[in-house]
Amino acid sequence: MYTFLNKKLRYMLRQKEDEAQKKQPDNEEKLITGNLTADLELIREMMGTSSDIKVHEFKYGENSSQKGALLFIDGLVNNDVVTQSILKPLILSKSLNNYQAGEMKNTLDIVKQTVIYSGDIVERHTIGELIEGCLSGDTVFLSEGFDKALVISSKGWDKREVSEPQTEPVVRGPREGFTENFRTNTALIRRRIKSPHLRMDHLTIGKKTDTNVCVVYLEGVANPDIVDTVKVRLKTISTDSIIDSGYIEQYIEDHPYSIFQTIGYSEKPDVIASRILEGRIAVVVDGTPFVLTMPMLFVESFQTAEDYYIKPYFASMTRLMRFFAFFLTVSAPAIFVALTTYHQEFIPTTLLLTIAAAREGTPFPAFLEALIMVFAFEILREAGLRLPRPVGQAISIVGALVMGEAAVSAGIVGAPMVITIAITAVAGFVVPDQNDAASILRLILLFLASVLGAYGLVLGFLGILIHLASLKSFGVPYNSSLAFLKNMQDSYIRMPLWTMTKRPESIAKGDIQRKQYNTPPSSEIVNNAGSMEDN
Amino acid sequence: MKTQKASITPLQFMFSITCFLRSSSLLSSFFAPISKTDSWLVVLIASVVCLPFLWAFIMLMKAFPGKNLIEINDAVFGRIAGKIISAIYLWFFLTLTSLNLRDLGGFVGKSIMLKTPQIVIITVFILLCAWAVSLGLDIVTRYSVVFVILSSIILVVTIAATSNHMRLSNFLPILRQPMKNIIQSTNIVSTIPFGELVIFLMIMPQVNIKPKKLGRYFLPGFFLGAFLITLVVARDIAILGNTITIFAQPSFETLRMVSFFEVLTHMEILFAILLIILFFFKISLLFYVSMLAMSYLFRLDSYKPLILPSAAIIVVYSLIIFKSKTKHLEVGRETAPFMWFIFEFLLPLLTLIIAYIRKLPQKEKDARSKEAASA
């Protein structure tokens, strides 16, 4: 009943807002009049007197009889293109001279077809469209006496080079990373998947920012229902700004209240390409090197690109180790507190003596001690992250010394607790994707363990498992492969590549077969190869 | 009805059966004192004796695909008699839930949380189960495979680690106990873990499986579960011998013997954790089945509003059901096997016979084919 009323109320409020918005006068819908001075005046009025907007008025055509204007934003356009490919041919072109005054109606078409050197010219009719083009780095060409204008592509702003990503370093594997530039990013994906079925559907989101967003997927491999879901959710985003792909993530995720993230991201084109090949859908957002992928499975956080580039044995071992590290980082302080407070009999006797000796003289109970240390660690981590790099190192040294040495020798915390927190901290960085969730879970489990001991700890873990089981990412169960239901070749361990004949069944649909047979690599030797050795 | 929307895979179904049985293996204190060192044999005998009854379950599932036990009762016994029988079943399910909850509370209170009041242990636990139940059957059974694998790994490791304490002579002489004890023990085993599989009649419509292939998943699940129980009981007998009769939790005592490199002793905490996990599975499944039965009995759209009130009832019920542990054991040995026998074997068999006499499944088929023809 309450939810019903709430929904009704929200709906009514929203209707009012919508009406209010409709009433606002809309300058953008105005058509181009053909009177050059009037049009330019209108554009100036709408865009204000920003210093980076350049309006260049000039004369061209036969005997320089025709008035025209170029409109662009300095810094967004490539100046070479504007002067060499647009302005110069316009003023010098001879093809315009051959037409009589009576044929002037076609001038704009002639300019479009024979004068300007550009592969991307569009005709526009409203002022709003001109401004939009201008703002995204195109050059607008207006001409006296025409109720339309040409928008010529001339984008060319300073951008970061493709470089090695900061967040996902690899020992072996490609070192390219995405950049902030939208087209560079889509090109990096396109370069890896040269299939004609790779689709890139374009959207713009954000009323003020007008951010370019691209939905990338492999047609015939990605589940069309999920593709449609992604598109519908993207289209229903009604916000005025998209600054980073994190905005999009929070607007379209399935479980906004969960602490686990149900949408994956990566900064590496090879990772994104392999996920697209598994049937996932990538969302490239302009202005950020982080590309989103969905649906996400929980195991994805434990997979790294390198797992697939090295032999499966070590890859499987590291993956199991990552699971263990996640377990440790979530529960090590809680286990320590539960054991020392409730279940001393389960600690090996010699260790128990050591712990008791170390804890002798420390003022706080184990729970408080753990809490202090966990918080201290989080503060140090945050400080190390935010401070300028040279200072950051100093802070971590001071932190390590104060936390490690001084706190123990001053008798504020016991040495075993420092070790526990150190393990917790280091293990947390093994699974960076789930680090945020792990920090919160650690506190919850710590609290449960301090209240109910091992029993609380087990219940806490069961609760996490239930919560994980209830999560879905775009209709796909979040932990299906953890629960031994599907996609087992690539979850706890990674099987050899040649055994992975199928794409993940819960994600891909249609062309599900990666390769036909589950056969090991052939060990055939061509005769010549053998004889080479004899020589 | 909305409550039947969720569906689980055949594999989940199969391992749910195994996991359900495996979680009962920890209750060997009911029959171990009676059949003593022959208990492992008793488990095997019981699993064979149960087969006709399991066959009855499977026949019922096959005869009424898409219907759960409450609907089958309605269809076979008519509306009024069916409702009465369903109500008794509901009591049975609720009692099973409470009994298991009490077992858990008793165990946790005696093994790892010595000073915590029982009611806290039980309440926290049932709240967790209630959360799982409110999310649906899929969530309740999601981890059955993981739990079975986890418990099997622990089982194998403990067998390996305690092999130096095992005395094969503990098994000898085989069948030393009087016939009467063996039969009584078989009765207990076949009713307390094995016959409780009757609850799967309730969730059958939500299993994504063709009726023909039912046996292929039901029976392996059952045999795997029975095999695991046998292993557990045999391990405990091999280590404890005749002393198995004096312990409330033989497995707990067995795991006390485990020590790795003479440093990691007291591995019984592993057993305690495993037991809590398995109990979580069993109690939430039983709880789910009770809630489903209740919502069908009262023709509700959803069982969700029932969860918390029922949880409160179950907590109180499990606290007051027996005065003491000895009373609990006595009932578990002497009364329950006969009462449960009615719900687990007689009633399903009766349902099957009446359905057969009234030619009910055929009627259903006719009705369906008529519907199909008219459509």
Side-chain angles (χ1 to χ4, degrees):
Chain A
M1 190 65 200
Y2 170 74
T3 44
F4 171 76
L5 276 178
N6 201 2
K7 270 185 191 168
K8 191 86 185 164
L9 207 68
R10 270 194 205 167
Y11 177 72
M12 278 162 66
L13 281 176
R14 210 165 144 185
Q15 259 188 337
K16 260 188 192 169
E17 275 173 23
D18 285 354
E19 273 171 24
Q21 267 192 349
K22 267 180 202 165
K23 277 175 195 165
Q24 278 180 359
D26 217 346
N27 246 347
E28 295 188 359
E29 293 298 313
K30 278 195 181 161
L31 292 171
I32 301 168
T33 55
N35 183 343
L36 191 61
T37 27
D39 285 340
L40 287 178
E41 200 50 48
L42 191 61
I43 291 172
R44 281 202 187 98
E45 186 190 312
M46 281 175 70
M47 296 180 74
T49 52
S50 307
S51 61
D52 58 343
I53 298 168
K54 302 287 177 202
V55 181
H56 177 63
E57 290 181 65
F58 61 96
K59 289 188 173 167
Y60 70 103
E62 199 183 6
N63 303 326
S64 302
S65 58
Q66 189 71 20
K67 271 207 275 182
L70 283 183
L71 184 73
F72 58 89
I73 293 182
D74 201 12
L76 286 190
V77 295
N78 186 338
N79 281 330
D80 276 354
V81 173
V82 175
T83 48
Q84 295 295 323
S85 315
I86 303 173
L87 201 56
K88 195 175 167 188
L90 266 173
I91 294 176
L92 295 184
S93 172
K94 283 180 182 143
S95 54
L96 282 169
N97 292 346
N98 299 337
Y99 290 92
Q100 300 300 317
E103 288 173 290
M104 281 304 271
K105 277 180 190 168
N106 295 330
T107 310
L108 224 49
D109 291 337
I110 294 158
V111 166
K112 184 179 166 188
Q113 284 161 11
T114 64
V115 178
I116 294 173
Y117 308 151
S118 171
D120 185 4
I121 308 179
V122 208
E123 276 180 22
R124 293 289 186 219
H125 293 274
T126 67
I127 301 282
E129 284 169 335
L130 295 189
I131 289 174
E132 195 189 314
C134 199
L135 289 174
S136 51
D138 295 338
T139 303
V140 174
F141 172 56
L142 282 156
S143 187
E144 174 77 44
F146 291 95
D147 60 350
K148 56 188 178 185
L150 297 182
V151 176
I152 306 145
S153 173
S154 60
K155 294 184 186 73
W157 51 78
D158 291 330
K159 56 197 177 198
R160 194 164 60 95
E161 290 297 309
V162 173
S163 58
E164 192 173 355
Q166 299 273 320
T167 53
E168 296 163 80
V170 286
V171 176
R172 181 175 170 180
R175 302 200 190 282
E176 274 179 340
F178 286 120
T179 69
E180 283 76 11
N181 188 11
F182 183 62
R183 274 293 159 231
T184 313
N185 293 353
T186 53
L188 282 173
I189 298 174
R190 182 73 84 174
R191 241 172 48 193
R192 268 156 220 280
I193 308 175
K194 294 189 193 76
S195 160
H197 299 292
L198 186 72
R199 296 278 178 273
M200 296 200 174
D201 296 344
H202 189 263
L203 289 166
T204 53
I205 305 176
K207 279 172 213 144
K208 292 250 189 297
T209 57
D210 245 343
T211 312
N212 290 317
V213 172
C214 197
V215 182
V216 189
Y217 59 97
L218 254 185
E219 196 166 42
V221 172
N223 186 342
D225 295 338
I226 302 180
V227 174
D228 289 344
T229 316
V230 172
K231 283 186 192 163
V232 166
R233 285 194 196 172
L234 284 175
K235 275 174 194 155
T236 45
I237 296 178
S238 68
T239 174
D240 63 347
S241 55
I242 298 289
I243 302 295
D244 182 79
S245 53
Y247 277 51
I248 302 246
E249 182 185 328
Q250 289 172 54
Y251 278 119
I252 64 172
E253 64 189 342
D254 289 56
H255 298 275
Y257 298 114
S258 174
I259 56 169
F260 291 98
Q261 59 175 53
T262 49
I263 290 178
Y265 63 85
S266 177
E267 215 182 334
K268 286 167 63 65
D270 52 321
V271 173
I272 298 294
S274 70
R275 287 189 189 164
I276 289 173
L277 285 167
E278 282 181 341
R280 290 194 179 83
I281 297 143
V283 173
V284 185
V285 181
D286 195 6
T288 174
F290 288 96
V291 174
L292 304 176
T293 55
M294 58 216 72
M296 187 201 182
L297 301 180
F298 187 58
V299 269
E300 257 173 68
S301 321
F302 299 88
Q303 301 169 336
T304 63
E306 221 171 327
D307 287 357
Y308 304 92
Y309 307 150
I310 56 177
K311 295 204 79 161
Y313 304 104
F314 184 66
S316 305
M317 196 186 90
T318 30
R319 192 170 287 177
L320 282 175
M321 193 204 62
R322 270 180 225 130
F323 278 99
F324 183 65
F326 184 68
F327 170 77
L328 264 189
T329 191
V330 164
S331 64
I335 291 176
F336 184 82
V337 167
L339 283 180
T340 49
T341 331
Y342 289 92
H343 316 290
Q344 295 89 348
E345 70 269 26
F346 297 121
I347 308 175
T349 319
T350 39
L351 184 61
L352 182 65
L353 291 176
T354 321
I355 292 176
R359 282 186 48 75
E360 199 188 10
T362 57
F364 304 113
F367 168 63
L368 263 183
E369 213 173 84
L371 205 63
I372 292 169
M373 290 300 282
V374 166
F375 268 116
F377 163 66
E378 293 290 338
I379 289 168
L380 271 183
R381 189 173 76 121
E382 188 65 17
L385 208 66
R386 303 287 163 220
L387 280 167
R389 202 150 292 170
V391 193
Q393 275 183 351
I395 282 291
S396 50
I397 291 168
V398 167
L401 282 178
V402 171
M403 297 268 294
E405 273 304 309
V408 173
S409 46
I412 296 172
V413 288
M417 181 60 81
V418 175
I419 296 168
T420 314
I421 299 297
I423 292 171
T424 311
V426 175
F429 294 115
V430 174
V431 190
D433 277 12
Q434 298 291 353
N435 212 344
D436 310 3
S439 301
I440 298 166
L441 291 178
R442 192 181 300 145
L443 288 177
I444 297 174
L445 287 182
L446 187 57
F447 178 74
L448 278 174
S450 71
V451 176
L452 283 171
Y455 183 60
L457 203 55
V458 176
L459 292 194
F461 264 105
L462 285 173
I464 295 171
L465 286 182
I466 296 171
H467 178 62
L468 279 177
S470 72
L471 291 182
K472 280 188 172 183
S473 175
F474 292 83
V476 176
Y478 192 51
N479 70 344
S480 54
S481 46
L482 277 192
F484 289 89
L485 295 182
K486 271 171 182 169
N487 320 335
M488 284 314 296
Q489 321 100 313
D490 187 17
S491 60
Y492 289 102
I493 56 169
R494 176 180 86 72
M495 299 288 278
L497 283 182
W498 48 266
T499 60
M500 298 187 196
T501 52
K502 283 183 177 172
R503 302 176 208 282
E505 288 155 63
S506 49
I507 297 168
K509 197 180 179 185
D511 178 16
I512 205 157
Q513 212 76 13
R514 260 195 197 119
K515 58 201 262 302
Q516 208 169 358
Y517 301 111
N518 180 1
T519 47
S522 95
S523 54
E524 240 173 76
I525 297 174
V526 179
N527 274 339
N528 288 341
S531 59
M532 292 278 276
E533 272 171 32
D534 298 337
N535 297 338
Chain B
M1 215 179 255
K2 280 177 193 171
T3 41
Q4 269 194 309
K5 215 166 47 180
S7 67
I8 61 173
T9 61
L11 202 71
Q12 258 176 311
F13 175 66
M14 177 175 138
F15 277 93
S16 297
I17 294 169
T18 313
C19 194
F20 188 82
L21 291 180
R22 175 73 177 89
S23 54
S24 312
S25 71
L26 312 152
L27 295 172
S28 49
S29 54
F30 284 141
F31 59 91
I34 298 167
S35 49
K36 294 178 184 165
T37 52
D38 291 329
S39 299
W40 64 280
L41 208 58
V42 163
V43 179
L44 285 183
I45 296 170
S47 62
V48 176
V49 170
C50 275
L51 282 180
F53 302 107
L54 294 181
W55 173 81
F57 295 168
I58 295 174
M59 287 305 287
L60 267 180
M61 290 177 186
K62 279 184 182 172
F64 299 93
K67 286 198 169 184
N68 63 31
L69 189 59
I70 307 289
E71 289 172 304
I72 295 173
N73 284 339
D74 276 358
V76 174
F77 295 104
R79 271 184 86 178
I80 297 167
K83 279 276 182 278
I84 294 170
I85 290 173
S86 300
I88 301 173
Y89 262 114
L90 174 60
W91 170 80
F92 172 59
F93 295 147
L94 279 174
T95 310
L96 278 185
T97 318
S98 311
L99 282 176
N100 278 291
L101 197 61
R102 186 192 172 88
D103 285 336
L104 171 101
F107 169 74
V108 173
K110 284 204 179 63
S111 61
I112 54 174
M113 304 301 296
L114 299 174
K115 289 175 187 164
T116 313
Q118 183 120 120
I119 188 161
V120 175
I121 295 170
I122 285 181
T123 314
V124 175
F125 199 82
I126 200 78
L127 283 177
L128 190 74
C129 294
W131 182 25
V133 169
S134 70
L135 291 169
L137 180 66
D138 181 30
I139 309 308
V140 171
T141 58
R142 175 73 65 86
Y143 293 105
S144 51
V145 189
V146 182
F147 292 164
V148 168
I149 291 176
L150 189 71
S151 60
S152 307
I153 290 174
I154 291 184
L155 183 60
V156 171
V157 169
T158 52
I159 287 176
T162 52
S163 51
N164 55 335
H165 294 281
M166 287 185 183
R167 298 277 174 278
L168 284 181
S169 55
N170 281 341
F171 291 111
L172 297 174
I174 290 171
L175 285 179
R176 177 178 46 177
Q177 312 304 324
M179 211 54 205
K180 194 191 81 182
N181 284 15
I182 300 278
I183 291 173
Q184 188 191 356
S185 203
T186 309
N187 183 11
I188 296 173
V189 178
S190 52
T191 46
I192 288 184
F194 293 163
E196 284 171 9
L197 292 182
V198 72
I199 64 157
F200 283 89
L201 277 172
M202 278 302 296
I203 63 169
M204 195 49 222
Q206 295 176 51
V207 183
N208 200 352
I209 189 173
K210 282 177 189 153
K212 270 188 187 174
K213 289 187 177 175
L214 235 162
R216 265 193 240 168
Y217 287 100
F218 196 100
L219 290 177
F222 170 74
F223 282 123
L224 186 57
F227 174 69
L228 288 175
I229 298 182
T230 317
L231 265 188
V232 171
V233 175
R235 177 197 69 191
D236 295 351
I237 294 170
I239 291 162
L240 301 172
N242 258 324
T243 50
I244 194 171
T245 52
I246 56 173
F247 295 120
Q249 288 291 349
S251 300
F252 195 68
E253 302 305 321
T254 307
L255 267 88
R256 270 181 205 271
M257 308 280 186
V258 178
S259 78
F260 297 105
F261 318 117
E262 308 199 336
V263 178
L264 292 171
T265 50
H266 284 290
M267 280 298 113
E268 63 262 33
I269 194 154
L270 269 186
F271 171 75
I273 288 169
L274 182 68
L275 187 108
I276 296 168
I277 292 173
L278 289 175
F279 260 119
F280 163 74
F281 179 83
K282 193 177 185 187
I283 293 175
S284 30
L285 191 59
L286 284 167
F287 193 12
Y288 177 84
V289 165
S290 321
M291 291 304 97
L292 200 65
M294 205 185 274
S295 73
Y296 269 82
L297 193 61
F298 299 121
R299 295 169 169 269
L300 302 175
D301 272 353
S302 164
Y303 60 83
K304 283 181 187 168
L306 300 172
I307 293 177
L308 283 180
S310 311
I313 294 172
I314 289 170
V315 167
V316 176
Y317 193 17
S318 66
L319 284 174
I320 60 168
I321 190 164
F322 296 123
K323 271 181 190 160
S324 66
K325 179 78 186 168
T326 35
K327 189 78 183 163
H328 183 181
L329 281 178
E330 191 189 313
V331 172
R333 277 169 206 160
E334 284 157 21
T335 323
F338 295 98
M339 285 203 2
W340 287 184
F341 190 74
I342 302 171
F343 298 108
E344 290 163 357
F345 301 125
L346 283 186
L347 274 174
L349 218 56
L350 193 68
T351 317
L352 199 62
I353 291 167
I354 293 180
Y356 183 71
I357 293 169
R358 290 180 62 188
K359 295 184 178 171
L360 269 177
Q362 275 86 355
K363 263 190 194 170
E364 294 279 315
K365 261 185 200 166
D366 288 347
R368 209 173 289 159
S369 58
K370 268 178 201 166
E371 268 175 35
S374 62

